[in-house]
Amino acid sequence: YGRNITTGVDVDDLKTYAFRSTTVFKPTDDLQITIIGDYDREKDRNGQYHWIGEGGNTDEAGSPGQRAYDAIFGTRRFAEKARDVAGNYDPYYRRRTWGVMGDIQYQLGSIELRSITAYRKSKWVINNNLGGGEFASSLWAQGDKAKQFSEDFQISGSSEKFRWVVGAYYFHEKFDGWQQVPINGLGFGLSDVYYDGYFAGGKIDTKAYAVYGQGTYNLTDKLSLTLGGRFSYEKKKITNQVEFTFASV
């Protein structure tokens, strides 16, 4: 939809692809195995910041004689079209997500054993020029990565009057997210170099366990009674970091 008028690179574009597959195996009449997988990838320059103007322009009555931005950083070029940007730094966006799930069902007489196992992994990052103009007064980068694993094991059965299921569940996720805003020293009366600036990040480790059960009894052809229960336990470990420094990037 737009371009960086300084470098000529397209921005706010979209380049993504994804696929999903399902495979079913049935080695015997009593055993069925289903495997489902999916993959998604985006690699473009989407979601960028745009310069939309500054209050107190010099051509307005009663406004200052010079824009604050120009006073600090000198006269720089901005994109005239709303979809364009002007910067010596090309923004980018990257995302990758994939997962796989296995569902195993085994019929043992009137009892069915079932195991549902899943794993998912994701990662994304975005980089931007916060100034929106040819001179990047500050940059912005953000991203996260995550891993998930789960297991659900069930035993179920049924008869003419009664059907039931009991199971156990486990879930584990690791999440790591961060955000950083390097700044140019000119805005603070320092050298024309980038400093670490603002950083915020954190990690979350989640573990969850559960056991459950449910039974349904048919009182008549049109009326049944269902009772069930579940016990869950979840534990989270969180670490955070926030800082603002003038160490050189």
Side-chain angles (χ1 to χ4, degrees):
Y1 295 102
R3 68 184 184 92
N4 185 340
I5 64 174
T6 302
T7 64
V9 173
D10 291 337
V11 297
D12 282 340
D13 57 342
L14 181 63
K15 297 178 182 178
T16 181
Y17 59 88
F19 68 84
R20 179 182 175 91
S21 67
T22 300
T23 306
V24 179
F25 302 95
K26 199 161 186 180
T28 67
D29 293 338
D30 299 326
L31 177 63
Q32 177 175 297
I33 302 172
T34 303
I35 299 175
I36 301 174
D38 65 89
Y39 181 87
D40 176 75
R41 179 73 187 272
E42 181 173 352
K43 185 179 180 181
D44 48 41
R45 302 186 186 280
N46 200 0
Q48 305 310 315
Y49 279 93
H50 297 266
W51 174 263
I52 57 174
E54 179 180 1
N57 289 340
T58 57
D59 56 353
E60 295 178 0
S63 65
Q66 187 180 29
R67 295 184 181 183
Y69 189 97
D70 292 344
I72 298 174
F73 303 110
T75 303
R76 307 284 179 167
R77 183 170 61 155
F78 292 91
E80 295 181 359
K81 295 181 179 180
R83 280 288 187 179
D84 292 343
V85 299
N88 51 14
Y89 179 84
D90 284 320
Y92 66 85
Y93 180 86
R94 304 286 186 269
R95 186 190 75 243
R96 182 183 337 204
T97 304
W98 64 272
V100 62
M101 187 273 288
D103 184 356
I104 303 175
Q105 298 170 267
Y106 182 69
Q107 195 68 37
L108 189 63
S110 62
I111 296 177
E112 181 185 76
L113 307 178
R114 187 175 187 181
S115 173
I116 304 173
T117 307
Y119 179 81
R120 179 163 294 279
K121 186 176 182 180
S122 63
K123 182 179 181 179
W124 75 275
V125 63
I126 186 171
N127 280 267
N128 259 312
N129 171 7
L130 281 182
E134 191 172 24
F135 174 75
S137 57
S138 60
L139 306 175
W140 174 69
Q142 181 175 348
D144 67 53
K145 56 183 179 179
K147 296 179 182 179
Q148 298 176 353
F149 172 81
S150 64
E151 170 63 33
D152 189 0
F153 181 73
Q154 303 173 358
I155 303 175
S156 61
S158 63
S159 61
E160 184 178 351
K161 287 283 189 177
F162 185 63
R163 61 183 184 274
W164 55 273
V165 59
V166 294
Y169 177 77
Y170 172 75
F171 173 83
H172 186 198
E173 179 185 50
K174 290 185 176 182
F175 176 87
D176 184 359
W178 56 273
Q179 182 182 92
Q180 186 166 14
V181 184
I183 56 173
N184 191 282
L186 287 178
F188 296 85
L190 302 174
S191 302
D192 185 8
V193 296
Y194 288 100
Y195 296 89
D196 282 344
Y198 172 78
F199 175 85
K203 298 181 180 181
I204 303 177
D205 190 298
T206 303
K207 290 184 179 180
Y209 310 84
V211 291
Y212 57 89
Q214 178 176 298
T216 299
Y217 184 78
N218 298 323
L219 300 174
T220 68
D221 293 340
K222 298 183 179 180
L223 179 64
S224 63
L225 175 66
T226 299
L227 294 175
R230 181 185 179 97
F231 174 79
S232 300
Y233 173 80
E234 183 174 306
K235 182 178 180 181
K236 288 182 178 290
K237 181 180 179 181
I238 302 174
T239 58
N240 285 318
Q241 177 185 356
V242 179
E243 63 182 20
F244 189 95
T245 69
F246 282 99
S248 297
V249 174

